[in-house]
Amino acid sequence: MAEISSIVTRFAPSPTGLLHAGNYRTAVFAYLFARKEGGKFVVRIEDTDKERSKKEYEENILESLQWLNLGYDILYRQSDNTKRHEELLNKLIAEDKAYVSKEEAGEGKRDEVIRFRNPGQQVSFEDMVRGTISFDTTELGDFVIARSASLPVFHFAVVVDDADEGVTHVIRGEDHISNTPRQILIAKALGFAIPIYVHLPLVLGGDRSKLSKRAGAKALTSYRDMGYLPEAMINYLALLGWHPEDEKELFTTEELVQAFTLDRVQKSAGTFDETKLRWFNREHIKRLSDYAFAERLEEYMKQMGEELPPYTATVIPLLKERSETLLQAMDALEEGEFDFLKPGFEAPGESLLLQGAMAEKGAVIRHFTALESLLGGLSDEEFTAEKVKETIFPYATEAGRAAVLWPMRVALSGKKKSPDPFTLAGLMGKEETLKRLQAALLVLKS
Ligand code: GLU
């Protein structure tokens, strides 16, 4: 961890809709940079637009940040600062840097607004992604900074709050570039230091259209519910608009913190692609220890109102190896794919045992007897799926795979459909495997 520094970043979402992946990408960058530099990460809910801000959106933002594990040092609401905004608006008015103006509000009504006395300068700033950006601010005229002394517009509140929190790096989407000159003018009038601006490229949807915060959009928490791991999501989001020095793609969040630098933020837009996200998720699942995977799955199932069946321990390695999401793993358990591991297994009937064997009963009896003696020769420790396969495959190839392996699989699973017989034997271990083969033999002989 870097030494304590004065770097402060912030994530400043407006709770006016469900945030999209691009918004959370901004949070990820601001978080990674603050952690990398040993600085502070501030979350500010910009709720000053009372009409459009909704509690449920705010809750979803906080829930999403919590799911992602993006710990913040400070959390507050912009509306907490109303007094401070008022104080500074009055200060600007007293210094004649702003003035109250009565204006036509339609239907013969007149409204008071507070306008900024724009000195009409050329404003330039160094954007860490885009380089030098210059605007002629004369055409903005005396822009509005508040609807009343207690109702500042977004530009004013952002500038005051950023300065009060000591924000050093304003990391946000590039759709805010055009707001920056106004905000710089306000900051200068208030005598504040100008922060460093880092405008991130857009994140596009799968159809290359701009993501938007419309109601009905997908909440980030829906990815949690679909069984994604937060570290996979962070890894994926971090690579939307940033790239490491090498070709490395898979990162833990800690590794991202180490590798992250702002000079590797790209200018070109990234595309949020669920297929790619799934790939990241699968890779992150594979990298969990069996124990950690079991824990995650248990936690996930609990949250979905389900319980991890007690016999699951045996299938954890297999589930981990093949699941792209926790949902997939849960479904396999729920759909009874591994029910054969439940205590109280009953041997399948003769017709099911012979159904896909394409062989006479007598032949299958002979094969089972051969399997018993081949597998009986393995020790308990050796009894893995691989070793079982190695041991019986030459025999099965010689005698006819369907005739040997189909009934063996059914004898072990009791089902028409199941994983292959080697996997099953490996999962059950020697004792249970032999017991089930013997039980099937009894069925065929009776
Ligand atoms: N509240 C603004 C938004 O949600 C962001 C403000 C900023 O980052 O400066 O778009």
Side-chain angles (χ1 to χ4, degrees):
M1 176 123 187
E3 282 172 36
I4 300 290
S5 74
S6 53
I7 299 281
V8 180
T9 66
R10 57 26 164 218
F11 176 50
S14 305
T16 53
L18 288 170
L19 302 194
H20 52 69
N23 298 118
Y24 288 105
R25 189 274 318 260
T26 301
V28 167
F29 281 31
Y31 170 85
L32 291 176
F33 183 63
R35 291 291 168 261
K36 165 84 186 265
E37 299 298 327
K40 235 170 38 175
F41 174 54
V42 176
V43 173
R44 175 172 72 234
I45 305 289
E46 304 213 311
D47 60 345
T48 33
D49 184 342
K50 287 279 168 265
E51 260 159 48
R52 292 171 58 229
S53 296
K54 294 223 159 62
K55 210 65 200 161
E56 68 204 71
Y57 295 135
E58 178 182 315
E59 277 160 15
N60 190 262
I61 293 169
L62 296 177
E63 206 179 313
S64 301
L65 291 176
Q66 193 185 19
W67 173 58
L68 288 177
N69 251 315
L70 294 183
Y72 35 76
D73 301 287
I74 298 171
L75 166 74
Y76 68 103
R77 288 174 193 80
Q78 192 148 56
S79 57
D80 298 340
N81 286 354
T82 311
K83 282 257 156 342
R84 175 73 173 152
H85 300 147
E86 220 172 302
E87 173 197 327
L88 290 176
L89 276 169
N90 286 326
K91 179 171 179 269
L92 286 187
I93 294 170
E95 291 171 355
D96 200 32
K97 290 176 178 164
Y99 58 92
V100 179
S101 151
K102 272 203 180 327
E103 302 186 0
E104 238 15 271
E107 294 167 12
K109 275 200 293 186
R110 282 166 76 80
D111 265 353
E112 273 190 2
V113 295
I114 299 174
R115 286 189 177 271
F116 182 73
R117 233 182 253 296
N118 184 356
Q121 299 159 340
Q122 181 80 15
V123 168
S124 294
F125 63 98
E126 278 307 309
D127 188 278
M128 277 194 79
V129 180
R130 302 254 146 205
T132 311
I133 299 180
S134 298
F135 276 91
D136 180 2
T137 62
T138 10
E139 62 205 50
L140 295 176
D142 286 354
F143 53 87
V144 174
I145 53 174
R147 302 277 155 208
S148 72
S150 56
L151 257 189
V153 301
F154 149 77
H155 297 298
F156 188 83
V158 164
V159 168
V160 171
D161 294 350
D162 281 348
D164 282 355
E165 286 303 334
V167 170
T168 55
H169 292 70
V170 170
I171 301 175
R172 59 186 178 190
E174 70 177 18
D175 43 331
H176 286 287
I177 288 183
S178 59
N179 296 330
T180 310
R182 250 181 278 238
Q183 296 178 3
I184 290 177
L185 287 174
I186 296 170
K188 280 186 175 163
L190 289 167
F192 293 155
I194 309 297
I196 293 167
Y197 290 100
V198 187
H199 285 105
L200 308 178
L202 293 178
V203 175
L204 304 174
D207 52 359
R208 301 289 293 168
S209 66
K210 188 171 176 294
L211 289 176
S212 77
K213 200 160 61 177
R214 64 196 182 278
K218 207 151 149 178
L220 199 78
T221 42
S222 67
Y223 290 95
R224 173 196 63 197
D225 301 344
M226 287 187 285
Y228 285 86
L229 301 181
E231 62 267 40
M233 180 60 99
I234 291 185
N235 188 171
Y236 180 59
L237 291 177
L239 294 175
L240 286 178
W242 173 83
H243 60 94
E245 255 172 31
D246 47 21
E247 297 294 294
K248 185 170 154 127
E249 278 193 296
L250 290 171
F251 288 86
T252 64
T253 306
E254 203 36 57
E255 286 167 347
L256 282 171
V257 168
Q258 296 307 325
F260 193 77
T261 55
L262 287 176
D263 58 8
R264 300 199 152 272
V265 174
Q266 343 160 156
K267 287 194 186 67
S268 52
T271 303
F272 187 80
D273 171 4
E274 291 208 11
T275 316
K276 195 81 217 246
L277 173 64
R278 250 180 127 73
W279 179 83
F280 273 94
N281 206 54
R282 190 195 159 109
E283 295 302 317
H284 276 271
I285 285 183
K286 274 205 243 165
R287 275 160 178 75
L288 293 173
S289 68
D290 290 345
Y291 182 76
F293 175 72
E295 258 189 349
R296 295 291 194 95
L297 184 58
E298 183 171 26
E299 195 184 314
Y300 173 72
M301 288 181 67
K302 208 155 120 195
Q303 178 207 318
M304 304 309 271
E306 305 289 345
E307 263 179 51
L308 205 59
Y311 60 86
T312 319
T314 335
V315 292
I316 284 294
L318 178 72
L319 275 180
K320 191 186 85 173
E321 193 51 36
R322 62 170 221 198
S323 303
E324 289 185 327
T325 62
L326 295 174
L327 175 60
Q328 245 180 24
M330 177 173 92
D331 281 350
L333 292 172
E334 297 281 292
E335 283 158 17
E337 202 182 320
F338 300 105
D339 275 2
F340 54 85
L341 290 167
K342 275 186 184 163
F345 175 79
E346 273 181 38
E350 180 176 315
S351 66
L352 189 55
L353 278 165
L354 297 178
Q355 207 179 77
M358 297 185 295
E360 297 297 328
K361 185 157 105 171
V364 175
I365 292 176
R366 272 202 318 282
H367 298 329
F368 274 15
T369 316
L371 289 178
E372 266 197 276
S373 81
L374 284 169
L375 295 175
L378 293 175
S379 70
D380 285 340
E381 292 74 44
E382 287 180 300
F383 214 84
T384 62
E386 258 168 55
K387 192 73 188 174
V388 167
K389 183 169 183 181
E390 210 181 292
T391 308
I392 62 181
F393 215 62
Y395 176 83
T397 307
E398 173 92 33
R401 287 187 200 157
V404 179
L405 301 179
W406 164 278
M408 176 182 171
R409 198 179 52 67
V410 175
L412 296 185
S413 68
K415 287 184 183 187
K416 219 157 121 178
K417 277 192 177 159
S418 78
D420 68 75
F422 319 113
T423 304
L424 295 178
L427 286 174
M428 280 174 218
K430 181 175 173 184
E431 194 188 322
E432 189 65 24
T433 302
L434 291 180
K435 209 164 103 188
R436 290 191 186 188
L437 283 175
Q438 279 150 11
L441 257 180
L442 275 180
V443 169
L444 292 174
K445 283 182 180 166
S446 62

